[in-house]
Amino acid sequence: MVKYFLGQSVLRSSWDQVFAAFWQRYPNPYSKHVLTEDIVHREVTPDQKLLSRRLLTKTNRMPRWAERLFPANVAHSVYILEDSIVDPQNQTMTTFTWNINHARLMVVEERCVYCVNSDNSGWTEIRREAWVSSSLFGVSRAVQEFGLARFKSNVTKTMKGFEYILAKLQGTEWVFQASSEASLLLFAAGEAPSRTLVETAKEAKEKAKETALAATEKAKDLANKAATKQQQQLV
């Protein structure tokens, strides 16, 4: 059995604003559980789509009854892989996330689609799906119920964090921290960036190499195994 979640949210900001805020939403007061974020791959495809893979580390306190099932030295941090596809021409962004450790206890897979709201072109709609599963014999149902409840709580925090960053960016007249994201945003808005997309992608790749070195070897191995499994499921 798998617990399924389907939800829809609306941010009262344009798609290009949400797109820019997406890359800058950490840290914020509602995401203290997010410890690190690293770009491990990024490229601009021939059809002008931005593909990214990020590795995030989050704290994940287990319920007390679950802590008794695992050794005391088991890490409480969770490694999350996030794949994203940005289509600036059609103004859509699709993200896929899943945890790559503690998978025996619980796996949470999420798919989000960000697009222009059909009722108001100045707003952004988010369609969110999630699948919560567990392979623990005898207690899988309880684990899934706990995971679903936590996921719903985290969605609320995610939306509050998004709104906080959007308000902050709008108050600073869209002064971006990363030039690569800024150039891609200009491209999405149909304006001419100061550098070509090839140059932007090259810089992003160099940055990706540097940040990838900072990730632990264990996380890299887990990421590769999880990526292979995810690709097989999508085929």
Side-chain angles (χ1 to χ4, degrees):
M1 292 291 294
V2 176
K3 290 294 181 180
Y4 175 71
F5 172 87
L6 173 63
Q8 185 170 306
S9 307
V10 174
L11 288 169
R12 297 188 177 186
S13 298
S14 65
W15 182 88
D16 56 346
Q17 292 172 335
V18 172
F19 164 70
F22 177 82
W23 305 108
Q24 303 180 61
R25 68 190 191 279
Y26 302 128
N28 69 70
Y30 304 97
S31 65
K32 295 181 180 179
H33 63 295
V34 180
L35 304 179
T36 64
E37 55 175 333
D38 296 288
I39 300 172
V40 296
H41 178 73
R42 175 166 285 171
E43 67 174 296
V44 178
T45 64
D47 58 349
Q48 305 302 291
K49 293 179 182 177
L50 175 65
L51 307 183
S52 301
R53 168 164 289 176
R54 299 199 299 171
L55 175 66
L56 297 96
T57 307
K58 302 181 180 181
T59 58
N60 187 40
R61 183 172 178 78
M62 300 179 187
R64 291 184 177 180
W65 57 265
E67 289 180 344
R68 294 196 294 268
L69 301 175
F70 291 85
N73 61 346
V74 170
H76 287 185
S77 296
V78 178
Y79 295 117
I80 307 291
L81 270 185
E82 174 196 270
D83 284 354
S84 61
I85 305 171
V86 179
D87 184 347
Q89 182 176 357
N90 295 309
Q91 291 190 305
T92 63
M93 176 168 61
T94 304
T95 65
F96 305 88
T97 61
W98 67 98
N99 59 294
I100 55 177
N101 65 334
H102 300 314
R104 177 170 171 263
L105 172 64
M106 179 170 57
V107 175
V108 180
E109 300 171 285
E110 180 189 48
R111 179 179 186 268
C112 290
V113 178
Y114 300 74
C115 60
V116 177
N117 181 260
S118 57
D119 296 326
N120 189 324
S121 60
W123 293 357
T124 303
E125 182 178 303
I126 305 173
R127 177 185 170 88
R128 191 185 309 272
E129 293 180 279
W131 297 263
V132 182
S133 59
S134 173
S135 60
L136 281 182
F137 180 76
V139 294
S140 61
R141 183 180 295 273
V143 172
Q144 290 170 8
E145 291 288 354
F146 169 79
L148 184 61
R150 172 173 285 182
F151 178 83
K152 291 179 179 178
S153 175
N154 287 341
V155 168
T156 300
K157 294 178 182 178
T158 296
M159 295 305 295
K160 288 183 177 179
F162 238 130
E163 291 168 352
Y164 173 87
I165 295 299
L166 282 165
K168 184 177 179 181
L169 289 177
Q170 290 167 355
T172 56
E173 297 182 355
W174 299 98
V175 177
F176 304 114
Q177 297 176 354
S179 59
S180 59
E181 281 84 11
S183 296
L184 287 164
L185 174 62
L186 290 173
F187 170 74
E191 300 176 20
S194 58
R195 293 175 298 165
T196 67
L197 284 173
V198 173
E199 292 172 331
T200 298
K202 183 177 180 180
E203 179 182 317
K205 288 181 180 180
E206 291 301 322
K207 182 180 178 182
K209 290 180 182 179
E210 295 176 1
T211 54
L213 290 175
T216 64
E217 291 300 323
K218 180 179 179 180
K220 290 180 182 178
D221 292 338
L222 288 169
N224 290 332
K225 293 178 182 178
T228 301
K229 180 181 178 181
Q230 186 75 2
Q231 289 174 355
Q232 292 173 345
Q233 293 175 344
L234 292 175
V235 173

